[in-house]
C-alpha cells in the first residue's frame, strides 16, 4: 500500500478499509497487468487465505522437470530477485 509498507509500484493503491476498496484495488491491478487465462482470487478483509497459506520464511525456487535447480536464501532479506533473473538467463537464454 502506498500509505504503508510501499514498494515502487505501477499501480498506486492505498491500504484497503473495506471489501469494496479491496475489489477496486484488485481490478486496478488486473487492468494494469495481463493475467488473461489465469484464475485470480481475492482474500477476505480478515486475510484468511494469506494467514492460512503464508510462506515464512520466504524463499525463491526454480524447479525444472520436477527438480529444484535453484534455491535462494531466506527472505525477505536473504535473497535477491536479480539472482533468479541471472540464473534463468544463464540456463534458458
Amino acid at each position: 500500500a502506498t500509505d504503508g509498507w510501499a514498494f515502487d509500484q505501477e499501480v498506486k493503491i492505498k491500504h484497503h478499509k473495506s471489501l469494496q476498496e479491496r475489489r477496486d484495488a484488485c481490478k486496478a491491478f488486473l487492468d494494469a497487468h495481463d493475467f488473461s487465462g489465469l484464475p485470480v482470487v481475492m482474500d477476505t478483509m480478515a486475510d484468511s487465505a494469506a494467514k492460512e497459506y503464508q510462506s515464512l520464511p520466504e524463499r525463491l525456487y526454480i524447479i525444472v522437470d520436477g527438480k529444484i535447480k535453484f534455491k535462494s536464501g531466506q527472505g525477505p532479506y536473504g535473497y535477491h530477485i536479480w539472482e533468479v533473473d541471472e540464473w534463468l538467463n544463464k540456463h534458458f537464454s
Side-chain angles (χ1 to χ4, degrees):
T2 56
D3 57 346
W5 194 50
F7 294 95
D8 185 21
Q9 306 161 354
E10 263 180 61
V11 182
K12 307 295 182 198
I13 298 171
K14 290 187 176 184
H15 184 75
H16 320 131
K17 293 183 175 73
S18 70
L19 195 56
Q20 186 58 52
E21 286 181 4
R22 183 165 279 191
R23 281 188 191 109
D24 294 343
C26 186
K27 182 173 179 350
F29 183 81
L30 292 173
D31 287 348
H33 299 85
D34 181 18
F35 284 95
S36 55
L38 296 175
V40 175
V41 296
M42 184 182 78
D43 208 348
T44 66
M45 289 304 292
D47 294 327
S48 317
K51 290 173 185 166
E52 185 69 25
Y53 296 102
Q54 67 185 340
S55 172
L56 294 174
E58 299 171 11
R59 201 178 286 272
L60 304 175
Y61 288 91
I62 296 173
I63 300 170
V64 180
D65 297 326
K67 295 186 180 180
I68 297 171
K69 298 293 187 173
F70 174 90
K71 177 175 129 182
S72 73
Q74 289 184 0
Y77 305 108
Y79 65 75
H80 305 282
I81 195 69
W82 57 264
E83 293 173 330
V84 173
D85 189 48
E86 246 178 34
W87 193 98
L88 291 170
N89 284 325
K90 181 179 177 182
H91 293 87
F92 292 103
S93 289

